Amino acid sequence: MRILGIETSCDETGVAIYDNSYGLLSNEVYSQAKLHSYYGGVVPELASREHICKIIPLILLALERANLKPNQINAIAYTAGPGLIGSLLVGITVGRTLAFSWKIPAIPVHHMEGHIMSSMLEENPPIFPFLALLISGGHTQLVNVTGIGLYKILGESIDDAVGEAFDKIARLLGLSYPGGSMLSKIAKDGIPGKFVFPRPMTGGNNLNFSFSGLKTCVANAITKNNNNYQTRCDIAHAFEEAVVDTLLIKCKNALDYTGLKRLVIAGGVSANCTLRKKMLNMGENYNIKIFHSRPEFCTDNGAMIAYVGMLRINSSSNQDDLSINVRPRWSLTELSPI
Ligand code: KG4
Ligand code: ZN
């Protein structure tokens, strides 16, 4: 069984082919970062137009790299939400049209379920139940995962997502979009302790997050201080420390609350090296097994969508009707178990 996965929820066009016996056969990603960096953030209309240009060549490339013909594909999985409506519409239209003409099922996939399951693409995948920390450009959530489609949201951001905060601070520091990984790079040159920022909402038992106050605090420090390279590195370092500590404290609280012994970190921000290192340390100290994906499976990709498509092929409804329905807003808790 081979599934073609299509991801177009935001500004990455991702196409991959997953085989249930042999694993991942190809995984192609085209990032639109350069296009949007000119504007300092994603321009939705440009994103959908760029997906239109790139999606078919990427599908052809994924087939070529996997050495497969279209008639060797058994189903197509596509991201149906959450995400930008125009971008989602490109993936669903191409996915469902190809599936119709190739006479195979089309499977709608939830983007965040893709992120949760991306850790299953690695050599030592987690077993259920586990706690998932989902940290991306649009989401910051702590989820109790007891099975496929069995998700309880324990806490989430009440304002900015953590990736969004990274990108906004990076922009203020003069780094180009998407700034998360660039900020992390210059943070390595920062002198520890030169700046100290708050760890928001870490005082009580509440498992929600808030990053907008921290963002304002860091923005004020950028405005008030000498704008030389070293100062910017010092601020980036202190910001990253504050975010990582906050995520760590929240995860530890959620692990204590649930009694879970496994933690999966997923989504673009889980590529952050400081976060991974500190999470692994915490895991060693408290006997918690930490799971994360290789960097290319942390950020948006078609592999995680193809994988979830394989998991859901027998349980997903409306596989071969011709409707085009995307869900720009879609909670994980609305998914059905399999
Ligand atoms: O999961 P993702 O690719 O897209 C969404 O679903 O939103 O996450 C993208 C986010 C961006 O905000 C990006 O700046 C952030 O992940 N990111 C990072 C790193 N790599 C990507 N943030 C911090 N450190 C990184 N190394
Ligand atoms: Zn994502």
Side-chain angles (χ1 to χ4, degrees):
M1 163 81 62
R2 290 178 211 98
I3 314 272
L4 180 90
I6 296 177
E7 157 61 35
T8 61
S9 66
C10 189
D11 62 342
E12 260 109 17
T13 319
V15 177
I17 299 172
Y18 188 87
D19 182 305
N20 66 344
S21 305
Y22 298 102
L24 203 59
L25 302 182
S26 59
N27 180 39
E28 308 305 322
V29 180
Y30 171 76
S31 167
Q32 304 177 358
K34 211 168 160 200
L35 169 75
H36 300 292
S37 67
Y38 180 75
Y39 304 93
V42 178
V43 183
E45 180 60 25
L46 294 183
S48 29
R49 287 173 190 222
E50 194 73 345
H51 284 305
I52 291 172
C53 296
K54 293 296 186 292
I55 185 84
I56 300 292
L58 271 190
I59 291 172
L60 292 173
L61 187 64
L63 285 166
E64 189 188 316
R65 291 256 161 94
N67 205 12
L68 293 173
K69 296 270 176 283
N71 64 6
Q72 292 171 289
I73 300 294
N74 304 97
I76 296 181
Y78 58 89
T79 303
L84 301 172
I85 188 163
S87 294
L88 291 168
L89 280 169
V90 178
I92 186 176
T93 307
V94 171
R96 295 201 81 92
T97 305
L98 283 181
F100 176 75
S101 60
W102 293 351
K103 298 186 175 54
I104 55 176
I107 310 154
V109 170
H110 191 292
H111 182 76
M112 299 313 289
E113 183 170 56
H115 277 306
I116 293 177
M117 296 302 165
S118 61
S119 54
M120 304 285 180
L121 293 162
E122 299 300 346
E123 226 167 72
N124 293 306
I127 51 167
F128 301 116
F130 55 77
L131 177 72
L133 172 69
L134 303 181
I135 36 178
S136 69
H139 288 77
T140 305
Q141 291 182 322
L142 276 166
V143 188
N144 188 339
V145 181
T146 45
I148 300 158
L150 291 167
Y151 308 123
K152 185 165 185 227
I153 295 172
L154 304 172
E156 60 192 330
S157 177
I158 57 170
D159 42 56
D160 289 23
V162 66
E164 192 182 352
F166 261 99
D167 293 342
K168 286 178 177 167
I169 295 301
R171 192 175 176 192
L172 294 175
L173 289 169
L175 304 169
S176 64
Y177 172 85
S181 60
M182 303 267 272
L183 187 151
S184 185
K185 229 177 249 168
I186 70 161
K188 289 190 175 55
D189 290 337
I191 301 167
K194 280 275 172 179
F195 292 86
V196 178
F197 299 122
R199 278 67 174 147
M201 289 179 77
T202 48
N205 294 326
N206 192 315
L207 294 175
N208 285 334
F209 303 83
S210 165
F211 292 104
S212 86
L214 170 63
K215 201 181 64 192
T216 307
C217 198
V218 180
N220 288 339
I222 295 170
T223 317
K224 274 192 211 140
N225 286 280
N226 193 356
N227 190 17
N228 62 34
Y229 177 72
Q230 187 56 53
T231 307
R232 283 188 283 140
C233 295
D234 296 343
I235 292 175
H237 180 91
F239 168 72
E240 187 178 64
E241 289 288 306
V243 170
V244 168
D245 279 357
T246 304
L247 295 174
L248 221 80
I249 294 166
K250 291 290 185 176
C251 284
K252 179 66 177 51
N253 288 349
L255 289 162
D256 288 346
Y257 172 70
T258 56
L260 291 167
K261 291 287 177 198
R262 286 176 285 272
L263 169 65
V264 168
I265 54 171
V269 183
S270 68
N272 184 281
C273 297
T274 308
L275 175 74
R276 286 169 178 242
K277 212 158 62 194
K278 288 206 173 185
M279 283 288 179
L280 289 169
N281 265 345
M282 189 257 285
E284 268 174 31
N285 291 341
Y286 296 102
N287 200 23
I288 304 290
K289 205 153 182 338
I290 311 290
F291 299 85
H292 57 67
S293 314
R294 69 196 88 161
E296 63 265 39
F297 294 160
C298 294
T299 45
D300 291 349
N301 63 86
M304 65 186 192
I305 304 304
Y307 184 79
V308 173
M310 190 205 60
L311 297 177
R312 289 198 168 274
I313 187 156
N314 295 321
S315 69
S316 162
S317 57
N318 82 324
Q319 291 195 352
D320 38 34
D321 71 28
L322 292 176
S323 57
I324 299 285
N325 291 315
V326 290
R327 303 278 305 268
R329 286 177 177 274
W330 187 8
S331 171
L332 269 173
T333 55
E334 291 174 52
L335 294 179
S336 47
I338 63 169

